[in-house]
């Protein structure tokens, strides 16, 4: 049997995410993001569709590179206004039994000590269904609001991330032994102090002498997600990540990322299949091809190219407000370490993308392909993409909230199930069990578990 | 008609809160704190009992003053393990319609920029039912894990808090105009950039140039809770607080606090009744006096005096592990600015409390009175306390989770309702409406709203 294909839903606690402008479509409901019912409905829908999880993206800043102002982002609703992603997890977890949650939190956004407690809490409340998408942040606007004049340098951010992970790994994996919590009513012992250890961390960025505040949750360390494709990001993913998100407009781009990620994982001494790779895609599926094509055209008519360029400007640090729409995209200078532009030229080496083409491409579906057709046609494309790239699944964006996901669940998932390429039920247990059929903890060989322990026990 | 009496539930996302040792009672269920159902049940119960809200205490450190070690706290389950309080709000809010939520977050725990977004998010998801208990932190152990050698000085913490509030007030109140969000599908305008302003904050502790990331929630600034009774804490409460929590073992102590709080409010140019004051109490109510007395004895039998002293040592910074149980409590040195000990001598000036008496007192109900009896008897005591102290209501702790609150809701609330002293229904609207019959925003004269605005609009 061919390999199973997995789906994740790519979301954001905001009025608009990867398809700026589509909020103007009359059937879009993404303005309901402040309503808990919006998220509970989504979670139940995705669980019915046997999605691995919902992946909640985040930024802690605004897209203010375009025209050196936040005005275009505000006008176009480009990932602003945006709310805290963590608050959605307890809500959606309580409404479901199996769905996983990958939450984006930047290491530059919070001190690791309270952060470790936040994630342990979510792992407790969800019964071990939490994942953490480790990001280092890419918006200078976020850094400025934390009192820094600009973002740390790209590699410097990864050095900080390395130490940040060391701290949270020590708290999650090395502070409390499995049998530390006794809750012995007769003996009057809640926790055995001999089985709890202060982590005694002293580093360049953080000093954390104490114990973790939480008792161990079932997964301890949440499932680790990552998305970097720079050399330093790949090395980081190779060492740490259990799931990796990639995005690009063509099979060749994704194939290269997949090879690079798996090589980085092997270079870090792990097995290539220790990492699940999901590629971003937008599915536009109809009962018939004609219906799907009509819907596609309707969606294309709602693209907001200026908003798309505000997004692209934020991702790349390049201000596209003064570039003519027909300028070839390679002529624009890119700051070092930023890779979003490269993927456009790599997408189809036989031609050059113009700024206008990139804007329309990003305007519907973000940085991934748009797969259009009947259930059979989309299933064919899904299989082709999966088999030609070596990915494990897709990180599916929406154009219309929640209609896009409803169509996937109602029309595409049953077709893939008929073909034996998609799960008909969940593996019992934690998110890690569902993804890897082992767990609930990280493998004993993972760098989080082989760290040197902290100080003596608390007793 | 006499004044209405209000109830809040005093909780913590931990295995034990104000009555250390009571988790050993066979009927206690506080070990379920990691289970979402535990909190959903509580929220529904409290809403049935027309409680104003649930107040979630927090510490971001451990009680390691007693014996200079965390061992006693771990053994006794003294507010450790402890999970993040914020994660409970989306869960409980979604299960209720009216219940309010007061969440404790220390200004030393997180940068104000992401914190403002967290609270706006909770205010959105709860439909305007969020309050924030502003604390400056009192545990050195927390400070150390943030890389500081010890807590900032007491007054220094309040200076930091003043600036912290300035930042979040600017974000909540002054960044987005009421009509900034247009979501105009035809015009393609999500937000009008002319109606959003960067706050341009430059201060001693924080530089925050940008806009708030969230669109205005219904209350904008959450209802502001505070609990300080030091001179500096009172000045702070007088200027900022809408609700104040006090605790002490006797009417005379509470009466003095109430007078001080109302004077501080008036000194800050506000009306004395602009602040609601809740006093901590534990209610042990039975169908009959005999049942209540038997239950009281059962609970007394489960007090853990050593755990209580670990708690008292953390509150006061004084290590009680080497003090004989019969030593008078005034003879112990107290660091400046710490007031917990004073209330014991003030409780009953005719006698001195010993360390052992204080331990037994704290061991059941924490720092407030224990009111025992039939519904009529407890209602009499509740009325007496309320009328003699001038408080607006009670912050009710539990001895057994959730049995204590079930008894209050089933037995005491109906009796107070019969007497016309307790609400039979909620005021419609946000938490601020329910508390003050006005809102949803802070009064226009509140310091948060009279701050100087930031820079020019984002456009």
């Amino acid at each position: 049997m061919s390999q199973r294909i997995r789906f994740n839903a790519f979301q954001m606690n905001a009025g608009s995410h990867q398809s700026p402008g589509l909020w103007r479509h009359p059937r879009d409901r993404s303005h309901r993001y402040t309503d808990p019912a919006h998220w509970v409905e989504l979670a139940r829908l995705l669980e019915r569709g046997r999605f691995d999880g919902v992946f909640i993206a985040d930024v802690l800043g605004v897209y203010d590179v375009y025209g050196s102002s936040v005005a275009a982002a505000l006008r176009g609703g480009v990932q602003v206004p945006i709310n805290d992603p963590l608050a959605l997890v307890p809500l959606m977890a309580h409404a479901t039994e199996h769905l996983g949650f990958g939450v984006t939190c930047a290491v530059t956004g919070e001190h690791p000590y309270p952060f470790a407690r936040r994630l342990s809490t979510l792992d407790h409340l969800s019964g071990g269904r939490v994942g953490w998408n480790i990001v280092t942040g890419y918006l200078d606007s976020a850094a400025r609001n934390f009192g820094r004049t600009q973002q740390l340098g790209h590699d410097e951010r990864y050095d900080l991330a390395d130490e940040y992970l060391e701290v949270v790994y020590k708290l999650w994996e090395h502070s409390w032994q499995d049998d530390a919590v006794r809750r012995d009513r007769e003996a009057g012992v809640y926790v055995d102090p001999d089985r709890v250890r202060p982590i005694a961390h002293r580093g360049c960025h953080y000093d954390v002498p104490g114990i973790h505040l939480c008792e161990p949750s079932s997964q301890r360390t949440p499932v680790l997600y990552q998305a970097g494709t720079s050399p330093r990001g790949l090395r980081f993913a190779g060492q740490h990540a259990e799931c990796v998100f990639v995005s690009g407009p063509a099979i060749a781009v994704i194939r290269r990322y997949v090879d690079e990620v798996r090589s980085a994982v092997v270079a870090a001494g792990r097995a290539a299949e220790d990492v699940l790779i999901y590629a971003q895609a937008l599915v536009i599926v109809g009962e018939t091809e004609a219906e799907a094509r009509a819907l596609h055209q309707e969606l294309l008519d709602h693209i907001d190219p200026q908003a798309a360029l505000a997004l692209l400007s934020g991702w790349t640090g390049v201000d596209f407000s003064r570039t003519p729409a027909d300028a070839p995209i390679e002529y624009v200078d890119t700051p070092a370490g930023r890779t979003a532009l490269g993927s456009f030229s790599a997408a189809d080496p036989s031609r050059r993308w113009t700024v206008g083409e990139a804007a329309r491409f990003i305007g519907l579906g973000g940085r991934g392909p748009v797969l259009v057709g009947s259930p059979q046609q989309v299933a064919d494309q899904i299989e082709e993409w999966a088999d030609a790239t070596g990915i494990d699944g897709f990180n599916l964006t929406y154009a219309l909230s929640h209609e896009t996901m409803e169509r996937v669940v109602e029309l595409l998932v049953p077709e893939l199930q008929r073909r034996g390429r998609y799960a008909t039920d969940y593996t019992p247990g934690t998110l890690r069990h569902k993804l890897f059929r082992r767990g609930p903890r990280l493998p004993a060989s993972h760098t989080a578990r082989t760290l040197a322990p902290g100080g003596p026990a608390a007793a």
Side-chain angles (χ1 to χ4, degrees), chain A:
Chain A
M1 197 183 80
S2 306
Q3 214 197 315
R4 181 113 329 152
I5 295 167
R6 298 167 165 282
F7 284 168
N8 245 296
F10 197 22
Q11 297 277 337
M12 196 171 223
N13 194 358
S16 161
H17 180 209
Q18 287 280 312
S19 298
L22 270 293
W23 63 267
R24 298 173 307 168
H25 189 287
R27 289 200 306 278
D28 181 63
R29 293 290 170 264
S30 49
H31 63 274
R32 292 179 63 222
Y33 76 98
T34 57
D35 179 354
H38 180 70
W39 298 104
V40 166
E41 287 161 22
L42 177 70
R44 291 192 174 134
L45 172 71
L46 298 175
E47 183 156 289
R48 192 147 54 79
R50 304 292 184 260
F51 274 52
D52 282 350
V54 51
F55 177 73
I56 315 172
D58 189 36
V59 285
L60 250 168
V62 291
Y63 288 78
D64 59 1
V65 174
Y66 185 90
S68 304
S69 158
V70 69
L74 284 168
R75 204 173 292 115
V78 180
Q79 302 187 0
V80 65
I82 180 166
N83 280 351
D84 180 18
L86 289 173
L88 302 180
V89 177
L91 207 53
M92 292 196 283
H94 191 53
T96 53
E97 235 184 290
H98 297 286
L99 193 68
F101 304 95
V103 199
T104 301
C105 299
V107 296
T108 45
E110 182 172 32
H111 190 283
Y113 190 65
F115 174 74
R117 186 176 74 151
R118 276 194 223 284
L119 276 262
S120 292
T121 302
L122 296 183
D123 204 48
H124 276 299
L125 289 174
S126 66
R129 289 186 280 145
V130 164
W132 170 32
N133 178 35
I134 311 161
V135 298
T136 61
Y138 54 87
L139 292 172
D140 280 347
S141 64
R144 282 194 301 271
N145 287 314
F146 281 85
R148 296 186 291 271
T149 51
Q150 59 175 48
Q151 203 62 256
L152 294 174
H154 178 271
D155 283 13
E156 221 180 333
R157 293 207 302 275
Y158 275 103
D159 291 341
L160 179 83
D162 275 332
E163 192 186 332
Y164 195 99
L165 281 175
E166 198 180 321
V167 174
V168 295
Y169 285 162
K170 285 174 176 173
L171 291 166
W172 286 328
E173 298 288 340
H174 300 282
S175 184
W176 294 60
Q177 292 181 29
D178 282 335
D179 53 0
V181 178
R182 288 182 46 195
R183 262 185 219 107
D184 184 331
R185 294 182 200 241
E186 269 69 53
V189 177
Y190 204 106
V191 179
D192 179 351
D194 288 322
R195 291 175 162 74
V196 181
R197 185 160 43 195
I199 67 164
H201 177 87
R202 287 190 72 93
C204 299
H205 303 280
Y206 306 107
D207 281 347
V208 181
I211 66 165
H212 189 32
L213 292 168
C214 309
E215 61 182 290
S217 64
S218 44
Q219 297 190 122
R220 287 183 174 253
T221 298
V223 173
L224 300 169
Y225 295 73
Q226 223 262 333
T229 46
S230 67
R232 186 71 179 81
L234 280 168
R235 189 144 55 85
F236 187 87
Q239 194 185 358
H240 299 285
E242 300 177 86
C243 298
V244 170
F245 289 120
V246 294
S247 59
I251 283 177
V253 179
I254 299 301
R255 170 86 256 173
R256 201 187 66 226
Y257 286 156
V258 169
D259 292 343
E260 286 171 354
V261 168
R262 302 233 191 256
S263 300
V265 170
V266 170
R270 302 162 67 201
E273 64 274 12
D274 278 358
V275 165
L276 296 178
I277 305 178
Y278 299 79
Q280 181 170 332
L282 172 63
V283 163
I284 301 175
V285 62
E287 303 261 10
T288 61
E289 179 178 356
E291 188 197 318
R293 301 239 164 263
L295 174 58
H296 187 203
Q297 189 54 54
E298 229 184 74
L299 300 176
L300 286 170
D301 292 344
H302 286 83
I303 285 178
D304 179 345
Q306 195 191 45
L309 289 180
L311 206 51
L312 185 63
S313 296
W315 288 338
T316 59
V318 176
D319 179 0
F320 285 102
S321 69
R322 270 156 290 190
T323 318
D326 58 358
I329 206 161
E330 295 98 316
Y331 291 161
V332 181
D333 282 338
T334 11
R338 290 180 156 155
T339 59
L341 294 180
S343 62
F344 286 101
S345 1
D348 180 359
S350 65
R351 73 170 173 97
R352 282 183 171 162
W353 287 65
T354 66
V355 169
E357 284 165 348
R360 287 195 61 78
F361 179 77
I362 287 170
L364 185 65
R367 280 180 288 190
V370 182
L371 311 177
V372 185
S374 68
Q376 295 71 29
Q377 290 171 317
V378 174
D380 288 346
Q381 297 170 66
I382 288 278
E383 289 196 76
E384 187 201 347
W385 267 77
D387 297 340
T389 58
I391 57 172
D392 301 282
F394 292 85
N395 195 29
L396 296 181
T397 66
Y398 64 88
L400 301 181
S401 167
H402 296 314
E403 183 186 299
T404 302
M405 290 298 142
E406 283 161 3
R407 287 174 175 272
V408 168
V409 170
E410 308 296 344
L411 301 174
L412 178 59
V413 164
E415 176 61 26
L416 288 169
Q417 287 171 329
R418 264 190 293 277
R419 297 181 184 197
R421 298 294 307 258
Y422 194 91
T424 52
D425 222 331
Y426 285 103
T427 305
T430 64
L431 178 57
R432 192 166 278 120
H433 283 109
K434 293 179 204 309
L435 297 176
F436 300 101
R437 295 179 182 272
R438 55 168 168 69
R441 294 182 67 177
L442 280 166
S445 57
H446 189 281
T447 184
R449 298 196 55 188
T450 57
L451 275 175

